[in-house]
Amino acid sequence: MLSRSFLAIFALAAEAAATAIPRADASCTNPAVRKEWRELDDAEKAEYIRAAVCLRGLPKEKYADMGAVTTRMDDLVFTHFTLNSDIHFVANFLPWHRWFVQLHEDLLRTECGFTGTQPYWDWSIDADAKNTPNSPIFDPVTGFGGDGKHTGSNEPGFQRCVVDGPFANTNLTLAKGWPNMNDAGNRLHCFTREFNGGLGNDGNGEPIIGDMQASAYNSKVMKAVNSFDTYADMSDMLEGLPHAQIHSIIFGDMGPATSPNEPLFFLHHANVDRAWARWQGRNATRLADYTGFQNTGKTIPASITDTMPILELGDTKPIVKDYMDIQSGPLCYTYSSMEMPL
Ligand SMILES: *[C@@H]1O[C@H](CO)[C@@H](O)[C@H](O)[C@H]1NC(C)=O
Ligand SMILES: *[C@@H]1O[C@H](CO)[C@@H](O)[C@H](O)[C@H]1NC(C)=O
Ligand SMILES: [Cu+2]
């Protein structure tokens, strides 16, 4: 009798040990709360924008021999751009971007004195209202400004620019694939967006914006993402549908692999991260579920002990298992809402 229950307890403990995530620091008792952009008051919004503008104004610290890398933000943009096929449509898509968003938040704090917490943009709210073009995220005063506009300039790279908001009329040096997908990655241009409704052009040759393809990232889609049982299936749909469409509907600098040029990248990826964290819950199986492939050719199986490539952004490569749980190891945050919409 005694030994039976001892064995049962031992079996339970062994199972927990097999699925639990090792914690470098067990003290995440007071996680930072990442809020939706609309939940921030005007002072909190202004503080995030101040720090985001600041980081783009600092000189680079990495990639000394790359002339096109000029700002501290370019250090991040160039890394994401160069690693493109190592971090997209492979298993590490979610943990890599979780690490990257955290790195960006850390830089806002350490290099620009940011006092807040990384916000997220829950685009499913805008999609359900079929009103993405008028999302408060694009507000010229309390948001990130709106669609790019024709400037009247004939200079390549300066014909269509974001002309309102805190990032208006700023120059960027890394521009993979914009406006032509095959163009090289070092081309001076203005920060741009090119809202894409997927509906072609009107009689004046202007794109028809419509609801900006809301059905690709509304709460119905997010419920479908949340309904999968395995990491690989959940990650495939999350990356391939709502994640990819948000890049595609904003387009301009948000379109190609240099997309961290777009300040909304980090609020977008915080929301993608939230979808993963929501799916994981506090379920030990899901917090340890990491399947799929290391390469887009799907020949090398992924493992939770894989390291993730970061080029010059750090001295040690992060390990996937340390980025599985937003409340253990190097991470200690949560999201203001983890509920699925009804
Ligand atoms: C951006 O580059 C253009 C073209 O070289 C230049 O005319 C403009 O002054 C630059 N703007 C800023 C804000 O640096
Ligand atoms: C935890 O996740 C697994 C795998 O998706 C699932 O089968 C199980 O029902 C979940 N457990 C709870 C308590 O939700
Ligand atoms: Cu990416």
mmCIF file of all heavy atoms in Angstrom, residues 80 84 87-88 93 96-97 100 239 243 247 256-257 259-260 265 269, ligand 3:
data_model
loop_
_atom_site.group_PDB
_atom_site.id
_atom_site.type_symbol
_atom_site.label_atom_id
_atom_site.label_comp_id
_atom_site.label_asym_id
_atom_site.label_seq_id
_atom_site.Cartn_x
_atom_site.Cartn_y
_atom_site.Cartn_z
ATOM 1 N N HIS A 80 17.337 40.741 -38.547
ATOM 2 C CA HIS A 80 16.095 40.082 -38.963
ATOM 3 C C HIS A 80 16.102 39.806 -40.464
ATOM 4 O O HIS A 80 15.734 38.731 -40.923
ATOM 5 C CB HIS A 80 14.911 40.972 -38.557
ATOM 6 C CG HIS A 80 13.573 40.412 -38.891
ATOM 7 N ND1 HIS A 80 12.944 40.630 -40.102
ATOM 8 C CD2 HIS A 80 12.727 39.620 -38.175
ATOM 9 C CE1 HIS A 80 11.769 40.011 -40.098
ATOM 10 N NE2 HIS A 80 11.612 39.385 -38.953
ATOM 11 N N ASN A 84 16.399 36.000 -42.336
ATOM 12 C CA ASN A 84 15.032 35.750 -42.818
ATOM 13 C C ASN A 84 14.597 34.288 -42.893
ATOM 14 O O ASN A 84 13.654 33.871 -42.225
ATOM 15 C CB ASN A 84 14.875 36.432 -44.190
ATOM 16 C CG ASN A 84 13.452 36.363 -44.704
ATOM 17 O OD1 ASN A 84 12.525 36.120 -43.937
ATOM 18 N ND2 ASN A 84 13.278 36.592 -46.003
ATOM 19 N N ILE A 87 14.422 32.047 -39.589
ATOM 20 C CA ILE A 87 13.522 32.399 -38.483
ATOM 21 C C ILE A 87 12.071 32.531 -38.910
ATOM 22 O O ILE A 87 11.233 32.945 -38.105
ATOM 23 C CB ILE A 87 13.992 33.712 -37.788
ATOM 24 C CG1 ILE A 87 14.102 34.848 -38.805
ATOM 25 C CG2 ILE A 87 15.324 33.483 -37.063
ATOM 26 C CD1 ILE A 87 14.383 36.216 -38.189
ATOM 27 N N HIS A 88 11.772 32.235 -40.165
ATOM 28 C CA HIS A 88 10.382 32.289 -40.643
ATOM 29 C C HIS A 88 10.032 30.968 -41.312
ATOM 30 O O HIS A 88 10.848 30.379 -42.007
ATOM 31 C CB HIS A 88 10.186 33.437 -41.636
ATOM 32 C CG HIS A 88 10.444 34.778 -41.017
ATOM 33 N ND1 HIS A 88 11.526 35.541 -41.344
ATOM 34 C CD2 HIS A 88 9.776 35.462 -40.057
ATOM 35 C CE1 HIS A 88 11.501 36.659 -40.626
ATOM 36 N NE2 HIS A 88 10.460 36.634 -39.828
ATOM 37 N N PHE A 93 10.192 30.241 -35.242
ATOM 38 C CA PHE A 93 9.533 31.524 -35.523
ATOM 39 C C PHE A 93 9.013 32.189 -34.241
ATOM 40 O O PHE A 93 9.281 33.360 -33.974
ATOM 41 C CB PHE A 93 8.377 31.318 -36.515
ATOM 42 C CG PHE A 93 7.474 32.522 -36.647
ATOM 43 C CD1 PHE A 93 7.909 33.662 -37.304
ATOM 44 C CD2 PHE A 93 6.190 32.516 -36.092
ATOM 45 C CE1 PHE A 93 7.082 34.788 -37.408
ATOM 46 C CE2 PHE A 93 5.366 33.627 -36.194
ATOM 47 C CZ PHE A 93 5.814 34.760 -36.852
ATOM 48 N N TRP A 96 11.936 32.805 -31.440
ATOM 49 C CA TRP A 96 12.891 33.809 -31.919
ATOM 50 C C TRP A 96 12.290 35.206 -31.801
ATOM 51 O O TRP A 96 12.925 36.132 -31.294
ATOM 52 C CB TRP A 96 13.331 33.532 -33.370
ATOM 53 C CG TRP A 96 14.534 34.355 -33.757
ATOM 54 C CD1 TRP A 96 15.842 33.983 -33.649
ATOM 55 C CD2 TRP A 96 14.542 35.704 -34.257
ATOM 56 N NE1 TRP A 96 16.663 35.008 -34.060
ATOM 57 C CE2 TRP A 96 15.895 36.072 -34.435
ATOM 58 C CE3 TRP A 96 13.536 36.628 -34.567
ATOM 59 C CZ2 TRP A 96 16.270 37.333 -34.915
ATOM 60 C CZ3 TRP A 96 13.919 37.891 -35.031
ATOM 61 C CH2 TRP A 96 15.263 38.230 -35.211
ATOM 62 N N HIS A 97 11.051 35.363 -32.277
ATOM 63 C CA HIS A 97 10.425 36.686 -32.226
ATOM 64 C C HIS A 97 10.075 37.078 -30.785
ATOM 65 O O HIS A 97 10.077 38.262 -30.453
ATOM 66 C CB HIS A 97 9.237 36.750 -33.177
ATOM 67 C CG HIS A 97 9.642 36.790 -34.632
ATOM 68 N ND1 HIS A 97 10.036 35.665 -35.311
ATOM 69 C CD2 HIS A 97 9.762 37.819 -35.510
ATOM 70 C CE1 HIS A 97 10.365 36.009 -36.563
ATOM 71 N NE2 HIS A 97 10.209 37.307 -36.709
ATOM 72 N N PHE A 100 13.260 38.487 -29.666
ATOM 73 C CA PHE A 100 13.552 39.737 -30.382
ATOM 74 C C PHE A 100 12.730 40.898 -29.811
ATOM 75 O O PHE A 100 13.257 41.998 -29.616
ATOM 76 C CB PHE A 100 13.223 39.514 -31.864
ATOM 77 C CG PHE A 100 13.735 40.556 -32.828
ATOM 78 C CD1 PHE A 100 15.084 40.816 -32.941
ATOM 79 C CD2 PHE A 100 12.849 41.244 -33.655
ATOM 80 C CE1 PHE A 100 15.553 41.750 -33.872
ATOM 81 C CE2 PHE A 100 13.304 42.180 -34.583
ATOM 82 C CZ PHE A 100 14.663 42.435 -34.690
ATOM 83 N N GLU A 239 1.429 31.928 -37.943
ATOM 84 C CA GLU A 239 2.412 32.633 -38.771
ATOM 85 C C GLU A 239 1.883 32.886 -40.179
ATOM 86 O O GLU A 239 2.005 33.992 -40.708
ATOM 87 C CB GLU A 239 3.731 31.839 -38.859
ATOM 88 C CG GLU A 239 4.757 32.582 -39.710
ATOM 89 C CD GLU A 239 6.123 31.919 -39.793
ATOM 90 O OE1 GLU A 239 6.256 30.760 -39.374
ATOM 91 O OE2 GLU A 239 7.048 32.589 -40.295
ATOM 92 N N HIS A 243 -0.522 36.561 -38.880
ATOM 93 C CA HIS A 243 0.779 37.233 -38.816
ATOM 94 C C HIS A 243 1.186 37.774 -40.184
ATOM 95 O O HIS A 243 1.540 38.942 -40.333
ATOM 96 C CB HIS A 243 1.865 36.280 -38.280
ATOM 97 C CG HIS A 243 3.240 36.697 -38.686
ATOM 98 N ND1 HIS A 243 3.904 36.127 -39.759
ATOM 99 C CD2 HIS A 243 4.052 37.672 -38.221
ATOM 100 C CE1 HIS A 243 5.063 36.742 -39.918
ATOM 101 N NE2 HIS A 243 5.183 37.672 -38.999
ATOM 102 N N HIS A 247 1.508 41.964 -41.974
ATOM 103 C CA HIS A 247 2.645 42.519 -42.733
ATOM 104 C C HIS A 247 2.181 42.976 -44.109
ATOM 105 O O HIS A 247 2.579 44.033 -44.595
ATOM 106 C CB HIS A 247 3.756 41.472 -42.878
ATOM 107 C CG HIS A 247 4.582 41.295 -41.636
ATOM 108 N ND1 HIS A 247 5.597 42.157 -41.279
ATOM 109 C CD2 HIS A 247 4.532 40.372 -40.651
ATOM 110 C CE1 HIS A 247 6.140 41.764 -40.133
ATOM 111 N NE2 HIS A 247 5.510 40.679 -39.736
ATOM 112 N N PRO A 256 8.604 43.598 -46.468
ATOM 113 C CA PRO A 256 9.741 42.688 -46.670
ATOM 114 C C PRO A 256 10.441 42.288 -45.373
ATOM 115 O O PRO A 256 10.009 42.646 -44.286
ATOM 116 C CB PRO A 256 10.677 43.519 -47.547
ATOM 117 C CG PRO A 256 10.406 44.926 -47.147
ATOM 118 C CD PRO A 256 8.926 44.984 -46.811
ATOM 119 N N ALA A 257 11.561 41.587 -45.484
ATOM 120 C CA ALA A 257 12.275 41.066 -44.317
ATOM 121 C C ALA A 257 12.962 42.169 -43.511
ATOM 122 O O ALA A 257 13.476 41.909 -42.434
ATOM 123 C CB ALA A 257 13.301 40.023 -44.750
ATOM 124 N N SER A 259 11.256 44.382 -42.170
ATOM 125 C CA SER A 259 10.047 44.931 -41.527
ATOM 126 C C SER A 259 10.237 45.529 -40.128
ATOM 127 O O SER A 259 9.396 46.332 -39.721
ATOM 128 C CB SER A 259 8.945 43.875 -41.508
ATOM 129 O OG SER A 259 9.406 42.665 -40.985
ATOM 130 N N PRO A 260 11.297 45.206 -39.361
ATOM 131 C CA PRO A 260 11.441 45.953 -38.098
ATOM 132 C C PRO A 260 11.675 47.454 -38.313
ATOM 133 O O PRO A 260 11.649 48.217 -37.349
ATOM 134 C CB PRO A 260 12.651 45.272 -37.419
ATOM 135 C CG PRO A 260 12.666 43.880 -37.976
ATOM 136 C CD PRO A 260 12.235 44.062 -39.415
ATOM 137 N N PHE A 265 5.927 46.874 -36.049
ATOM 138 C CA PHE A 265 6.427 45.498 -36.030
ATOM 139 C C PHE A 265 6.385 44.933 -34.611
ATOM 140 O O PHE A 265 5.956 43.804 -34.385
ATOM 141 C CB PHE A 265 7.865 45.478 -36.565
ATOM 142 C CG PHE A 265 8.551 44.134 -36.496
ATOM 143 C CD1 PHE A 265 8.596 43.299 -37.603
ATOM 144 C CD2 PHE A 265 9.162 43.704 -35.321
ATOM 145 C CE1 PHE A 265 9.234 42.060 -37.543
ATOM 146 C CE2 PHE A 265 9.790 42.469 -35.253
ATOM 147 C CZ PHE A 265 9.826 41.650 -36.366
ATOM 148 N N HIS A 269 4.192 41.908 -33.297
ATOM 149 C CA HIS A 269 4.791 40.660 -32.822
ATOM 150 C C HIS A 269 4.504 40.386 -31.348
ATOM 151 O O HIS A 269 4.479 39.227 -30.921
ATOM 152 C CB HIS A 269 6.280 40.589 -33.161
ATOM 153 C CG HIS A 269 6.471 39.960 -34.506
ATOM 154 N ND1 HIS A 269 6.426 38.590 -34.673
ATOM 155 C CD2 HIS A 269 6.581 40.491 -35.734
ATOM 156 C CE1 HIS A 269 6.543 38.315 -35.963
ATOM 157 N NE2 HIS A 269 6.641 39.441 -36.625
HETATM 158 CU CU CU B 3 10.020 38.198 -38.547
#
